[in-house]
Amino acid sequence: MPQCPTCGAAFQTENPRAAGYLNQKKWRQMNQANVVKGLPSIEGAGSGGSVGISVLADQAVHKTVANDKRLLSDDEFTSIVSDIEDPEIQELLTGKVAPESADPNAEPEDPQGDKMDAPKCNQRDTRAESFATLIAARVRRRAEQGRDRIICQRCHSLKNYSRVDRPWKEDIVSDPRVLRFLRYKSNIMIVVVCDLFDIPGSLIPHLGDIIGSRHPVVLVANKSDLLPRDYHKQRLLMWLKRFVGGLEVNVRAIHFVAALKNLGIRELAADIMEQRRPGQDIYMVGRANVGKSELINALLRISMGGSAHTVLASHVPGTTMGLYGIPLRRFAKALVPLSGAEPQDRQVHLYDTPGVFSNKSIISYLTNEELKLVVCQKRVSPFTFILNLGQSVMLGGLGRVDLVDGPSRILVTVFSTIRPHFTRIQRADELVQAMQSGKQTILQPPVGDSERLKWFPHQKLALEHKFAG
């Protein structure tokens, strides 16, 4: 079954709210394109499908159309042309010019007169093979340019409106054992992606037990553009290496990148090209929302002609729905030389895998609207505040820090897109109780009506920390 080229979900026409859904028009359009490209026609392409043009295209591809000239009646011609999705091809076949492209200086035609070369009203003197060949050439050219990609309804909503039509948690993958198939692959390279803003939470513990420890691994720490400008890279690298040991994988290199802004991407691509052996597939692995899809798009952007084949990247976790491979030849100049791929690389792909969601993440309690408030989209500036004894600092309804005993004041530095709220501990307790009873407060997230506020998880003591100094 064909897949959506941006999220990897299998196309379907049954459930409009599920990933991979296509309406009947898009399903027929995809079926036509497959036939023209020489791919098998998909059964169940919807009632009233465009049989005429599909048959003609299929005959053109397989060279089975007779050489004899064939006459089409007006009804046959109109039926076939009306099923063509591309208006430019319709213009070429009918000889008509679209209103917006018509020549304003052209003389009006005489409604009573006929031109010498005008076709007769009751027939079209042309070859069926000419129609199909013209359409096939057009479709192939558009396919090479990436202009005819059909995406599912879910991807269309995310790409154009940054929303999904149902709770995003219904589509996520939370069991890391879905990656176990990589253990049995013999000649692959794995790129593990983590989020610099949440290193402990974005790494999969004991990953080697799942995917094996013999595969070469390149660890990519993404979203470096969100950190403060004066962050100490070497200290951050030392801290990151503390967590790498818990992965139990064969890490060959570590790279700091910002996929959205193409920072560090060329150095990463050069390292992958140097370390990858001919014939090795590449698999992107990591937690949900760490930026695997955006990293692939960054590699495509620095490739020769690869930007037309990008995948969908969104702030909504679980955007990638299935294993989706992009031929490595699309990454010319980035991952393969401009001179061309090795013979062993002609069938090699770079695969985007579904992000594995962590049930321990606080994001699992948030709605689509609340995600926009919490997930960092731009550089975060740290704020340092004085927290006095008996005060509490609150990050919406997500959590708080209370200073219950000790010195009269301490300094608190906050890295967050949610502006902290400082108040007395007693007042903080009142705000939390009001939120849990369904009353609107200044604490956001959560966002919504009283039912949403009641459903939101109640705050409880998570950590009691004692320090001196």
Side-chain angles (χ1 to χ4, degrees), residues 173-181 204-205 207 210-211 287 356-357:
V173 176
S174 58
D175 190 352
R177 288 178 295 181
V178 298
L179 302 174
R180 189 176 291 274
F181 73 96
I204 303 175
L207 181 62
I210 301 172
I211 66 174
R287 292 285 191 189
V356 180
F357 191 77

Side-chain angles (χ1 to χ4, degrees), residues 107-128:
E107 297 182 1
E109 296 184 3
D110 185 2
Q112 303 296 330
D114 292 330
K115 294 183 179 180
M116 294 297 295
D117 58 347
K120 295 182 179 181
C121 297
N122 60 346
Q123 62 183 14
R124 307 283 180 176
D125 185 7
T126 185
R127 296 178 184 266

Side-chain angles (χ1 to χ4, degrees), residues 373 383 385 393-396 414 416-422 444:
L373 300 176
F383 290 94
F385 302 90
V393 54
M394 310 182 73
L395 293 177
V414 179
S416 175
T417 57
I418 304 173
R419 187 165 185 84
H421 175 67
F422 287 82
Q444 287 189 350

Side-chain angles (χ1 to χ4, degrees), residues 28-37 41 48-61 65 70 72 76-86 89-90 93 127-136 138-139:
R28 291 196 302 268
Q29 183 179 348
M30 179 190 64
N31 198 49
Q32 291 174 1
N34 286 342
V35 172
V36 169
K37 296 173 187 176
S41 176
S50 53
V51 177
I53 195 63
S54 297
V55 171
L56 291 177
D58 190 35
Q59 291 174 341
V61 172
V65 177
R70 176 181 171 187
L72 299 177
E76 291 175 329
F77 181 83
T78 303
S79 175
I80 292 174
V81 173
S82 63
D83 286 329
I84 301 175
E85 303 289 344
D86 195 322
I89 295 180
Q90 287 185 345
L93 295 180
R127 296 178 184 266
E129 185 178 4
S130 300
F131 291 159
T133 304
L134 177 63
I135 297 168
R138 178 72 174 175
V139 170

Side-chain angles (χ1 to χ4, degrees), residues 219-422:
L219 180 62
V220 178
N222 192 22
K223 304 184 183 180
S224 63
D225 58 317
L226 302 181
L227 297 177
R229 298 182 185 278
D230 58 348
Y231 79 94
H232 199 289
K233 184 175 180 180
Q234 291 301 320
R235 290 182 181 177
L236 189 60
L237 179 61
M238 292 174 58
W239 190 55
L240 180 58
K241 287 181 177 180
R242 291 172 51 189
F243 297 94
V244 171
L247 297 180
E248 302 174 2
V249 294
N250 181 20
V251 177
R252 299 284 185 85
I254 299 177
H255 289 268
F256 291 83
V257 304
L260 194 60
K261 297 184 178 180
N262 275 30
L263 300 178
I265 299 299
R266 295 186 184 278
E267 293 79 3
L268 171 64
D271 193 19
I272 293 177
M273 185 188 299
E274 180 181 353
Q275 295 198 38
R276 193 185 69 86
R277 297 193 304 269
Q280 274 189 330
D281 289 315
I282 302 175
Y283 287 83
M284 294 285 182
V285 173
R287 292 285 191 189
N289 214 32
V290 296
K292 298 185 301 298
S293 298
E294 189 59 53
L295 179 59
I296 293 177
N297 289 341
L299 291 170
L300 286 168
R301 285 194 292 269
I302 66 172
S303 303
M304 184 68 70
S307 58
H309 305 276
T310 56
V311 296
L312 180 64
S314 170
H315 71 280
V316 178
T319 300
T320 302
M321 300 299 302
L323 183 67
Y324 182 71
I326 303 175
L328 209 61
R329 65 177 182 273
R330 302 292 187 194
F331 298 89
K333 192 177 76 169
L335 301 180
V336 294
L338 276 176
S339 57
E342 298 288 339
Q344 303 95 314
D345 290 338
R346 292 175 181 173
Q347 300 298 325
V348 172
H349 291 72
L350 184 147
Y351 290 95
D352 189 11
T353 63
V356 180
F357 191 77
S358 173
N359 292 324
K360 298 180 180 180
S361 174
I362 198 171
I363 291 179
S364 62
Y365 301 108
L366 304 182
T367 63
N368 301 335
E369 184 178 0
E370 292 163 352
L371 281 174
K372 297 178 181 179
L373 300 176
V374 175
V375 177
C376 298
Q377 300 292 333
K378 59 182 180 180
R379 189 184 301 276
V380 175
S381 300
F383 290 94
T384 300
F385 302 90
I386 297 177
L387 184 64
N388 295 315
L389 183 64
Q391 281 191 332
S392 175
V393 54
M394 310 182 73
L395 293 177
L398 299 180
R400 66 193 240 200
V401 176
D402 299 342
L403 181 58
V404 297
D405 193 11
S408 60
R409 63 180 60 183
I410 62 173
L411 297 179
V412 178
T413 302
V414 179
F415 295 80
S416 175
T417 57
I418 304 173
R419 187 165 185 84
H421 175 67
F422 287 82

